[in-house]
Each structure stands twice: as structure tokens, then as C-alpha cells.
Amino acid sequence: MYPYAPGHFWYRRWNHGPSRILWFTFGAIAASLWARHRERVHWHGHSHCFRPPVQQPVLSTQTESVDPWSARGVSRAVNGIAPEPMTNDDKKRLAEIGVSAGDKLVELSEATLDIVLTTVEILKAKLAEHRAEREKQREEERDRKEDLPRLV
């Protein structure tokens, strides 16, 4: 009734030519060769789409006094002109800013911790209050159950 014997897939498996692994390997090698060929053609400039490389700006050695955050200072940074070295006054001011920022951060951390501890204490008090209320309700319920007359 059936045109093939039981298990015909296993029986005919070896008669279909090369295995799938061989075809997969052949495809992987072909894809690798094609990718290398495209890369080599692109780097040698045989491509139709070509854009010249961007030239790096040359750093000049001008010693003008310019604030690095002013419009001219930002323009100098964008155009590749070397920034000026920091003076001792700038270094002291930067150190003071760092110290004050650290102090502000410590104060903020302490305030945050105080708020958290206060909140925890309030929640702990509410929890104790609820617990006492619950115990009181349980005892009232027990007393009510004990006061009920027995009908047996």
C-alpha cells in the first residue's frame, strides 16, 4: 500500500549525494572569499564610491591668552589648536572647587541618610502601633468567643 518501505528515509539517506556539512563548508569558504575580495577592492580604490580621507588639523603653537570656555576658546579646540597650559591660579581655583564640591556631596549624603533613618523610625513606630492594635483585636475576639453561651 505504501510506495516505500518502513523507515525509507533512513534507507534512502545515503543516496542523495554530499552531506549538508560539505555544502555548509563550501558556502562558508565562498562567503569568506567574496568578503575578502570586496575588502581588497575597496581598499585599493577600485570602488565607484570614493571619498578622500579627512586630513587631521595641524596644531599651531600660538601663545595667545584665550579663556578655554569662551567662544574663541571652543573654536580653537574644535579647529585643533593646542590648549594653553593651566596657570597656578587656575589650578588653585580648580582645587578649591573640588574641595567645595566634595564638602557639598558629604553634606548631601548626610542629609539623605538622616531622612532615611527618620523614615525608618517612623515606619517602625507605625508597625509597632499596628502590631499592638492587632493583638488587642485578637484578645477581644478571644474574649467574645469565650463569652458565647454553649448550646450543647
Side-chain angles (χ1 to χ4, degrees), residues 2-16:
Y2 295 108
Y4 301 108
H8 71 279
F9 293 110
W10 296 104
Y11 171 64
R12 295 181 47 112
R13 176 178 171 191
W14 306 109
N15 295 336
H16 288 298

Side-chain angles (χ1 to χ4, degrees), residues 15-125:
N15 295 336
H16 288 298
S19 68
R20 293 178 184 161
I21 294 174
L22 180 66
W23 286 112
F24 176 77
T25 307
F26 177 73
I29 291 171
S32 299
L33 290 175
W34 180 80
R36 283 190 179 186
H37 169 74
R38 292 295 297 169
E39 186 176 300
R40 197 173 332 120
V41 166
H42 175 70
W43 284 108
H44 288 293
H46 297 289
S47 167
H48 295 289
C49 179
F50 179 72
R51 187 166 72 186
V54 177
Q55 295 179 357
Q56 294 295 328
V58 178
L59 297 177
S60 69
T61 58
Q62 297 175 355
T63 58
E64 297 177 12
S65 175
V66 176
D67 181 22
W69 294 107
S70 68
R72 186 166 178 191
V74 171
S75 175
R76 289 172 57 110
V78 169
N79 291 328
I81 300 172
E84 297 175 6
M86 291 181 67
T87 62
N88 288 335
D89 294 335
D90 292 338
K91 290 179 183 178
K92 287 178 185 176
R93 190 177 63 185
L94 188 61
E96 289 173 3
I97 291 172
V99 169
S100 67
D103 292 342
K104 295 287 183 183
L105 185 63
V106 168
E107 290 174 10
L108 182 65
S109 299
E110 287 177 357
T112 304
L113 288 175
D114 287 341
I115 291 171
V116 168
L117 288 175
T118 305
T119 306
V120 168
E121 289 173 358
I122 291 171
L123 289 175
K124 190 175 178 181

